[in-house]
């Protein structure tokens, strides 16, 4: 539950930041269209992608229910399946761009994110990643409308290296939700 709550806060924070960037007049009624690219099936159900999708929907509903944050504004969203597949993510990104998304959240993995970013660049639609960490995505010329919440793998590696030096570790352990 704590992990889902943290994910919800992250997505809500992301939507807050993104919406503020697109609101020209806070007093004028406005609808903000947000596209979401999530892996839901690959071909079996992708439980991690489904949890992220639910957190995204909860965040949008929370923001729409909040009468003090951006009054007179509502978020609409369109979800597309990215399947953790670069080709699927490319066409999903085009679908949300053609729908009129002003910002796109996702997809999950770096490879699909790169292809989605290339598609969205054509439409000049900003993209925010909730989990893509490839250092290649830091190339502002190739991906000018991309930004991310997690640090790139290159930055994480430096941090882990510094931590091992500071604390004298020689063994690092990583965990995911299944290990908790």
């Amino acid at each position: 539950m704590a992990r889902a709550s943290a994910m919800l806060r992250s997505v809500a924070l992301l939507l807050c930041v993104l919406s503020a960037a697109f609101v020209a007049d806070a007093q004028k009624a406005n609808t903000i269209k947000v596209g979401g690219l999530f892996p839901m099936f690959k071909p079996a159900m992708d439980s991690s992608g489904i949890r992220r999708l639910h957190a995204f929907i909860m965040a949008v509903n929370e923001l729409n229910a909040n009468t003090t944050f951006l009054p007179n504004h509502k978020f609409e969203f369109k979800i597309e399946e990215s399947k953790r597949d670069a080709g699927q993510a490319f066409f999903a990104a085009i679908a949300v761009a053609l729908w009129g998304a002003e910002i796109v959240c996702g997809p999950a993995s770096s490879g699909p994110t790169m292809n989605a970013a290339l598609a969205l660049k054509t439409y000049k639609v900003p993209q925010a990643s909730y989990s893509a960490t490839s250092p290649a995505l830091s190339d502002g010329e190739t991906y000018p409308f991309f930004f991310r919440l997690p640090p790139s793998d290159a930055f994480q590696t430096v941090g882990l290296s510094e931590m091992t030096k500071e604390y004298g570790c020689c063994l690092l352990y990583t965990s995911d939700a299944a290990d908790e």
Side-chain angles (χ1 to χ4, degrees):
M1 186 63 164
R3 182 168 250 236
S5 178
M7 189 180 300
L8 175 61
R9 283 193 305 272
S10 294
V11 173
L13 175 61
L14 169 66
L15 288 174
C16 290
V17 170
L18 299 177
S19 64
F22 290 98
V23 176
D25 184 352
Q27 301 305 314
K28 184 178 168 187
N30 196 13
T31 298
I32 300 166
K33 290 185 168 188
V34 182
L37 305 178
F38 296 92
M40 295 175 272
F41 299 94
K42 57 174 186 180
M45 187 174 81
D46 186 328
S47 60
S48 168
I50 299 281
R51 283 194 307 269
R52 289 173 174 156
L53 169 62
H54 287 178
F56 175 83
I57 293 169
M58 288 171 58
V60 171
N61 290 339
E62 177 84 17
L63 290 171
N64 283 337
N66 187 331
T67 58
T68 57
F69 176 76
L70 289 176
N72 306 320
H73 290 75
K74 290 293 177 198
F75 292 91
E76 287 182 6
F77 62 88
K78 178 175 179 59
I79 302 300
E80 289 288 333
E81 165 73 83
S82 63
K83 289 190 177 181
R84 296 190 193 271
D85 177 81
Q88 178 74 27
F90 181 85
F91 291 109
I94 291 171
V96 294
L98 291 175
W99 170 72
E102 298 169 72
I103 186 77
V104 173
C105 181
S109 305
S110 294
T113 298
M114 289 178 194
N115 270 17
L118 293 174
L120 294 168
K121 176 170 82 169
T122 303
Y123 299 95
K124 298 182 178 171
V125 175
Q127 174 190 18
S129 171
Y130 49 83
S131 66
T133 57
S134 171
L137 286 161
S138 298
D139 180 349
E141 285 190 36
T142 305
Y143 308 107
F145 296 95
F146 173 81
F147 67 97
R148 66 173 118 223
L149 291 173
S152 87
D153 289 334
F155 183 75
Q156 291 180 53
T157 303
V158 171
L160 287 172
S161 173
E162 291 298 317
M163 185 177 76
T164 58
K165 287 181 199 173
E166 178 72 23
Y167 296 105
C169 293
C170 58
L171 175 67
L172 294 176
Y173 172 78
T174 61
S175 165
D176 63 16
D179 292 330
E180 289 182 3

